Amino acid sequence: MLLLFATLIGPILFFLFVWVVATAYRLYFPEQPLPYEKDPVVVREKATASGESVPVGLREIRADQRRYQRQKAPESYHYAWGGSDGFPEGWREDLWRRRN
């Protein structure tokens, strides 16, 4: 019985202890954000603007696409009954009916 207890509960308690220590460490010593000038995206943009060749990978391309999507102005909706400057009223009513 003691062997069964040690093999089942021991690893669980060990991982729980590791989780508690890691969480406490992250709470007491949080990550410090990089200054704006040292952000890799900003450094790459400055190098590109000055005409330097900059190697990029998939991560940088996706970051650029996400930033472009955030900066792009929202477009108006065009649906069967004409244009709209916002959320169509029919969609709002449908969302209200489906709410939790």
Side-chain angles (χ1 to χ4, degrees):
M1 186 67 177
L2 183 60
L3 181 64
L4 181 66
F5 179 77
T7 58
L8 293 178
I9 303 301
I12 293 172
L13 290 177
F14 172 74
F15 286 119
L16 183 63
F17 175 75
V18 169
W19 176 78
V20 167
V21 169
T23 302
Y25 179 80
R26 293 201 54 174
L27 286 173
Y28 285 112
F29 304 105
E31 291 183 27
Q32 299 298 322
L34 285 175
Y36 181 74
E37 300 83 28
K38 293 190 178 187
D39 184 26
V41 174
V42 174
V43 171
R44 190 169 38 81
E45 283 180 351
K46 285 181 182 178
T48 303
S50 67
E52 296 178 31
S53 175
V54 180
V56 295
L58 182 62
R59 182 178 301 157
E60 289 86 6
I61 293 170
R62 287 199 169 170
D64 286 345
Q65 289 175 345
R66 278 193 297 266
R67 202 164 81 257
Y68 175 72
Q69 291 295 330
R70 281 195 312 260
Q71 292 173 349
K72 197 167 75 170
E75 299 176 6
S76 61
Y77 292 99
H78 294 286
Y79 55 103
W81 298 282
S84 172
D85 291 335
F87 202 66
E89 189 62 33
W91 292 3
R92 187 182 326 272
E93 292 170 4
D94 186 48
L95 185 63
W96 181 254
R97 280 187 307 228
R98 294 173 186 242
R99 73 187 185 284
N100 288 337

